[in-house]
Structure formats: C-alpha cells, structure tokens
Amino acid sequence: MKRASISTRIFVYGTLLSGEPNHRLLRGARLIGPARTQPRFSLYDYGPFPALASRGKHAIEGEVYEVDALMLAALDRLEGHPRFYQRTSIALDGAGRAEAYLFPKGRLAGRPIIESGCWRTHLKEKKS
C-alpha cells in the first residue's frame, strides 16, 4: 500500500515567489494562490532578500503553495531553518494558516522596513 505523502501549506513572500530567483525550488508544488498575512508582521530589507518578523503592524503579500516533505526539507535548507530563519505557523488573512519563515527581530536592528509589505513592489521602487 502506497503511503500518502504529507503536504504542508507554505507562505512565501520574497525570493521564492513566482518569477523570483529561488522559485525553482517550488517546481512541482501546487499553487494555492496569492495570499496576505494578517496585519501583525513587518517585512525588512535584508539586502538581496526580505526578512519577515512577527509583532509588526503590516499585512505582507505573498503566495501559498502546497509542498511535500522533500520540498519542505529543501526549503528548510535554503532558509537555514532553524538557525537563520525559523519556520513557524502563521495566520493568513481569510485563508487559514500556513508555515512561513520568520526572522528573529533582534537581528534586524537598523534594517529598513518595507512599508508596502510587498517584496516585488519594493524591488521596483529600488530600481527607479
């Protein structure tokens, strides 16, 4: 008997978004759709990638995917979970819960907050 593979809903908001450099790691994942967090987070510019932190006041835009255990392990390696980012269950606005990679707020001192809550908008603004 074939064992059903366990799937996890993951919220992505930066380099894993469709069209962004690390999206290849989600090849084969099922796109659930665009999503946003409840307004309880802050998105920071960490240079080449964003960092999501809890206890903020912004709703963060992203996408939700359903991934299997192998894909989740690959994402954990990319994000350095649990030493760099910490994968945590968060509440989405009207779409239940999903796992997301949060950054420890203590390591974000001096980093600019992305007021729009959208990495893509931020990248466009940085270019202009």
Side-chain angles (χ1 to χ4, degrees):
M1 189 167 112
K2 196 173 154 190
R3 231 176 89 181
S5 127
I6 296 169
S7 67
T8 302
R9 285 167 39 108
I10 190 99
F11 174 77
V12 300
Y13 53 86
T15 65
L16 286 164
L17 289 165
S18 57
E20 296 300 324
N22 289 318
H23 184 71
R24 61 184 160 56
L25 291 174
L26 288 169
R27 193 173 296 128
R30 187 168 81 85
L31 172 64
I32 304 237
R36 61 188 308 147
T37 68
Q38 292 186 346
R40 298 180 186 158
F41 298 90
S42 294
L43 193 63
Y44 290 82
D45 183 331
Y46 208 81
F49 54 88
L52 180 65
S54 56
R55 295 191 302 279
K57 62 183 191 306
H58 298 107
I60 310 307
E61 291 184 34
E63 298 164 347
V64 175
Y65 289 86
E66 199 170 82
V67 300
D68 63 20
L70 280 174
M71 203 172 280
L72 188 62
L75 295 174
D76 282 351
R77 279 191 300 279
L78 172 74
E79 304 293 9
H81 169 72
R83 285 181 297 286
F84 195 65
Y85 281 91
Q86 279 114 34
R87 182 166 41 85
T88 309
S89 177
I90 65 165
L92 298 174
D93 197 23
R97 299 185 73 79
E99 297 284 301
Y101 292 96
L102 298 183
F103 207 81
K105 212 162 191 169
R107 298 208 315 254
L108 291 166
R111 296 283 179 177
I113 289 181
I114 299 170
E115 295 290 335
S116 68
C118 179
W119 178 241
R120 287 185 175 130
T121 299
H122 181 67
L123 288 178
K124 283 181 194 142
E125 289 168 355
K126 274 172 77 166
K127 284 180 184 170
S128 57

